[in-house]
Structures are given as C-alpha cells and as structure tokens.
Amino acid sequence: MKIALAGIGKIARDQHVPAIAGSSDWDLGATVSRSGSVEGVPSFTSLAEMFEAHPEVEVVSLCMPPKPRFDYAAEVIRAGRHVMLEKPPGATLSECHILRDMAAAAGVSIYATWHSRQAAQVAAAKAWLAERALRHVTVIWKEDVRRWHPGQDWVFEAGGLGVFDPGINGLSILTEILPDPVHLRSAELLVPENRQAPIAARLAFHHTGGAQISAEFDWRQEGEELWTIEVETEDGAIRLSEGGASLHIDGKEVAQVDGAANDGEYPQLYSQMAMLVREGRSEMDLRPLALVADAFLLGERRVVAPFEF
C-alpha cells in the first residue's frame, strides 16, 4: 500500500522512514513537509498538492508535533484516506475524540500509536501481572532533553507537553500492563520560570485494589538515563527497564522470546496499521493522554530555575 509521511523531522528520519523501508506492507509514496524531505521520494508542502499528484496514496502517517496535527488529520480524513498518529495523538483529548468520530463517519481507519507498548518485554510483563494482586508500582522516566530534543523549544511551549512528551511513554506502558484501571489522584509539576510546560513531574494514582502507584518524570537527567517500571505484587515482583526492552522477575532476567517484539517498535506499529486498514478497523486508546491531561488539571505548579538549551 502507498503511504505518505507528513512532518519530516528527527523522529520521521530516525524511526518512520526505516520502518516503512523495511516493511512488506508499505511503499513510501510521498512526503509532506515545509522543510524536510526523503531522498528519492516525491515531496510536497501541502496535503492537497500531494493528494492531487498521488491519488494512489491510501494512508498518511503524521509525524509533526501535536499542536498542528488536528488540522492535518482532519484534512486526511476528509480526503477519504486512513490516518496514523504519532504519540501523543493530539494536543487535547477533545480533538482526539472528534478525529475518532470523523474517521468512523468517513469509513476510514485511524490509529493512535504508542510505540513504547511494542517494546520487547511489555507483553510478557502484562501476561505475568494478569492474575496477580498489586501492592506497589513505581514508574521512573528520567532523560536528558538536550539529547533527545536539541534546541526544540516547542516542547516547552503550551501544548508541547514538556516532560510528559517522554513521560507519556511510561504511562502508555503502565496502562497496557496493569490488570486494573487507574486514575490520577495528585500531581506536582515543576515548571522552569522561563517556560510554559514542566521539566519534571511527580504523580500519584488511585487503584481500586489499594495499591500504591506513583510516577516520577525528569528531563534534567545527567549520566545514566532511566526508563523503568517496578511492580511489587503479593506473589513476586518485576522490573521493566530500558523502556520495556528488559524484564526481571524476582531479580532474574527473563530472556526475550523470538517473535514480532524483536522486530522493533516502529515496524510493529506499521504492521498494526496495515492490519487495521485491511480489516476496516480503528484503534484509538486515549488513556495515556487522559492521565497527562488530568496531571495538568490537578497538578500543583512549582516554579524552578530557568532552562535553556
């Protein structure tokens, strides 16, 4: 199937382009970007121009930041094409609900992707936790924003999510592996005095079974970066680390099982999108974004030192 990429930045070049190139489901037919392009692929500055020149394009994968994404996604749906959304699926929950309803009315597929759920050991962790009672869950997501978003001031603007840009990856795994739903009870947001979005956050969740669940996100990490989820149950404990790539059960490392999980996170997303299109279905899980929205609603804001790239 022919697919187009809209928004040719770092994430598109690092992840989306290689995933499409290695897929037997997709052929990259065009790109849409104000400044970027992919060698050997027709490039355009607007969706309208691209659709006119390449009516064979069936799907558009949107890789731009969340704030402008709604207008692009709505245009794709109105053109009768399927749409794939990089995480987070939008700048607000309301616009995501509207896009979901638009896609259903138009009879096209829409897919809100969460790449961290495709990490190699997430499915194994979910299966292990399925029949166990939780006691404690701790999510730690600490990385260096200068490494992953060098000079990208938009991540600290209103709608840029700040530290929740990576933190939502941890929340996407949390909502996937826990056998019971959780909701936010309280949050503390640390916002640089010269920025609009938090550089760090601490969250506490409510669990119907009384488990203590918390998360800590920080974009100021120096040295070793941490992407871990530790879960203590009444029958043992697990530790997911490296963003879900590594799993320890009761301190013993679990070997990865051969299969799709070893293909990489983004190739799996594109395989899933192909299946959704062929089966005429959509997948729009908004739970991770809802938790982030609740953090902004409930969060106590604390001003911290200015931040500059």
Side-chain angles (χ1 to χ4, degrees):
M1 293 178 282
K2 291 285 186 179
I3 192 169
L5 281 177
I8 307 302
K10 187 176 188 300
I11 190 67
R13 292 189 179 94
D14 290 350
Q15 300 293 346
H16 292 264
V17 172
I20 293 170
S23 172
S24 60
D25 295 310
W26 302 106
D27 177 30
L28 183 56
T31 64
V32 179
S33 176
R34 290 177 296 179
S35 56
S37 62
V38 175
E39 185 177 357
V41 179
S43 61
F44 302 86
T45 58
S46 74
L47 286 170
E49 292 175 337
M50 186 272 292
F51 287 138
E52 183 176 1
H54 292 277
E56 74 278 8
V57 168
E58 301 176 60
V59 179
V60 179
S61 180
L62 302 182
C63 308
M64 71 278 294
K67 283 188 71 173
R69 201 175 298 156
F70 175 83
D71 290 337
Y72 280 86
E75 186 175 352
V76 172
I77 293 169
R78 285 194 293 267
R81 270 70 166 191
H82 312 284
V83 62
M84 183 173 175
L85 305 170
E86 175 60 87
K87 66 87 188 173
T92 70
L93 283 169
S94 296
E95 66 183 44
C96 291
H97 287 299
I98 291 171
L99 290 175
R100 180 190 60 194
D101 294 344
M102 286 180 64
V108 299
S109 297
I110 186 169
Y111 180 24
T113 68
W114 301 104
H115 67 84
S116 290
R117 288 180 173 176
Q118 309 303 324
Q121 295 286 24
V122 170
K126 180 179 180 178
W128 191 86
L129 290 170
E131 302 297 330
R132 288 174 167 83
L134 304 179
R135 287 181 176 173
H136 299 276
V137 182
T138 304
V139 181
I140 302 292
W141 236 250
K142 296 183 177 183
E143 61 182 55
D144 181 359
V145 64
R146 291 184 174 92
R147 175 186 178 190
W148 298 101
H149 293 277
Q152 297 179 31
D153 288 299
W154 67 266
V155 298
F156 283 112
E157 295 172 358
L161 294 190
V163 74
F164 288 106
D165 179 88
I168 204 170
N169 294 331
L171 297 178
S172 73
I173 296 176
L174 182 75
T175 52
E176 176 70 9
I177 66 175
L178 294 189
D180 308 304
V182 297
H183 66 266
L184 196 70
R185 188 177 71 245
S186 64
E188 181 184 18
L189 309 180
L190 281 60
V191 183
E193 65 178 35
N194 62 333
R195 301 290 181 172
Q196 297 293 317
I199 197 167
R202 302 182 186 96
L203 312 179
F205 301 89
H206 177 270
H207 178 254
T208 55
Q212 296 182 8
I213 302 177
S214 63
E216 184 173 355
F217 307 143
D218 202 321
W219 242 352
R220 303 166 297 184
Q221 184 75 351
E222 297 180 0
E224 181 186 5
E225 295 179 305
L226 301 172
W227 302 284
T228 66
I229 299 178
E230 297 182 349
V231 185
E232 179 187 339
T233 76
E234 294 182 358
D235 185 27
I238 66 169
R239 184 176 189 268
L240 267 176
S241 58
E242 300 175 36
S246 176
L247 174 64
H248 287 75
I249 297 178
D250 293 329
K252 182 178 180 180
E253 185 171 9
V254 177
Q256 294 184 11
V257 178
D258 291 338
N262 292 321
D263 295 337
E265 295 174 6
Y266 279 82
Q268 289 183 82
L269 295 180
Y270 279 95
S271 293
Q272 177 70 4
M273 184 64 191
M275 183 177 68
L276 292 174
V277 170
R278 292 186 175 112
E279 296 179 359
R281 297 190 296 110
S282 291
E283 190 172 306
M284 201 69 171
D285 183 2
L286 300 178
R287 290 177 296 167
L289 184 59
L291 292 175
V292 171
D294 288 348
F296 280 99
L297 282 169
L298 291 175
E300 297 181 4
R301 286 160 172 78
R302 182 158 65 87
V303 176
V304 296
F307 175 84
E308 299 292 349
F309 283 102

